[in-house]
Amino acid sequence: MEKEILHCKQCGKETDNKLELVTLKTMVDRGFRKNKYYQAMGDIVTVSFCDECIDRHVEEVLNPKRVVLKLSLLSAVVLLGCSFLFWFVQVTAFRVFCGIIALITALAFFQELKRILKKTEKLKKQSEEERRKSMAVDLATRHLPKRHEDAELAYVDIRRVMRDNLELLGKEYGFSYNKLVAIRDYLRKEKRKLRKEENETEDGAAE
C-alpha cells in the first residue's frame, strides 16, 4: 500500500503529521424572548501541519509581544482618530459617536489582551507534547471555516473526544456533555466497524 502524501495546510510543505478533528456545530434559533441552541456533530476533518509551522506558532503564543504590539498600535490609531475628530468637529452628536467608538475600542483591546495572556499562561503549564497538539488544533481553526450557514463551528482533536474527561471538555468548548458522550459512542462504534472490516479483508487475502 502506497504511503499517503500529506502537505502542510499553512506552507504546503510535505509532512508526516496528520490531525483528525471532530467538527462541533452549534445552531442558534433566535426567538423573541429567548434563544434556543441546538448542537450536533459535524464532519470529521483531516488536516496536516509541518513541524516548522507548529513550532513557530507555539513560539508566537508563548511570546506574544508582536501580537500585543500589533493590537496596541491598531487600537491607538482608532483612539487617536476619535480624539482628533472629537476636538475638531464641533457637532455634539458626532462627538458622542466618537466617544462611543473610543469606549468600544478600549474595551475590545483589554478583552483581547486578556484572552491572549490567558492563552499564553495556559500553554506555559502544558508539556512540550501537549503544546504541539493544542497549537496544531489552534492552527487548524485559523484555516478552517468558522461558520456554515446558520451554524457556528468549533474543532476538537478526535483523541481528546476519545480520552479526555467529557465534562471538562464540554465546559472548554461550551458544548453539551450528553452530546459529547453520544459522539464518543459513535466514534467507538465506527472504529470497531472499521477494525472488523480490515480483519475480514486480511482474512480474505490470506485465503
Side-chain angles (χ1 to χ4, degrees):
M1 186 176 180
E2 293 185 6
K3 181 181 178 182
E4 183 181 6
I5 300 175
L6 305 171
H7 292 90
C8 176
K9 196 168 182 65
Q10 180 149 299
C11 70
K13 183 179 178 180
E14 283 192 19
T15 178
D16 293 327
N17 299 328
K18 184 177 180 180
L19 181 66
E20 285 187 304
L21 304 172
V22 178
T23 306
L24 304 178
K25 301 171 65 175
T26 300
M27 293 148 281
V28 184
D29 181 9
R30 304 190 183 282
F32 180 70
R33 293 185 177 180
K34 188 178 180 181
N35 294 337
K36 292 182 179 179
Y37 294 87
Y38 302 93
Q39 295 182 318
M41 174 184 171
D43 296 330
I44 296 177
V45 183
T46 302
V47 291
S48 297
F49 294 99
C50 66
D51 292 331
E52 289 82 355
C53 286
I54 294 174
D55 291 339
R56 191 180 306 117
H57 188 51
V58 170
E59 183 62 26
E60 287 174 356
V61 176
L62 286 175
N63 301 285
K65 292 179 180 178
R66 285 185 61 188
V67 178
V68 173
L69 179 60
K70 185 178 179 180
L71 177 66
S72 302
L73 290 173
L74 182 61
S75 301
V77 169
V78 176
L79 291 173
L80 286 171
C82 288
S83 299
F84 177 83
L85 293 172
F86 182 87
W87 290 110
F88 289 95
V89 178
Q90 304 297 321
V91 180
T92 303
F94 193 80
R95 284 185 165 187
V96 172
F97 177 74
C98 287
I100 293 172
I101 295 297
L103 179 61
I104 292 173
T105 300
L107 290 174
F109 168 77
F110 286 113
Q111 185 176 15
E112 182 64 11
L113 180 62
K114 182 180 179 181
R115 187 193 68 81
I116 291 170
L117 297 178
K118 184 178 179 181
K119 187 175 180 180
T120 299
E121 287 303 312
K122 181 180 178 181
L123 195 64
K124 285 180 178 179
K125 295 176 182 177
Q126 296 177 347
S127 66
E128 185 175 349
E129 183 181 359
E130 289 173 334
R131 288 175 183 174
R132 290 178 58 80
K133 287 180 180 178
S134 62
M135 288 300 98
V137 176
D138 194 58
L139 263 180
T141 59
R142 292 187 174 189
H143 293 272
L144 295 172
K146 304 290 190 300
R147 295 185 64 86
H148 177 67
E149 296 179 350
D150 294 333
E152 295 180 359
L153 306 180
Y155 303 91
V156 58
D157 191 332
I158 196 170
R159 292 169 296 190
R160 296 191 64 192
V161 177
M162 299 300 286
R163 302 171 188 169
D164 282 15
N165 182 310
L166 294 184
E167 189 173 349
L168 295 177
L169 191 64
K171 289 179 180 178
E172 180 180 340
Y173 279 84
F175 206 79
S176 165
Y177 167 78
N178 291 331
K179 294 286 185 183
L180 287 174
V181 171
I183 291 172
R184 176 182 280 180
D185 291 341
Y186 169 79
L187 292 174
R188 284 176 173 170
K189 183 179 178 181
E190 288 298 303
K191 189 175 181 180
R192 287 194 296 268
K193 182 179 177 182
L194 181 61
R195 191 176 296 164
K196 183 179 178 182
E197 290 175 353
E198 289 175 348
N199 290 336
E200 288 175 352
T201 302
E202 289 175 0
D203 292 341
E207 293 175 2

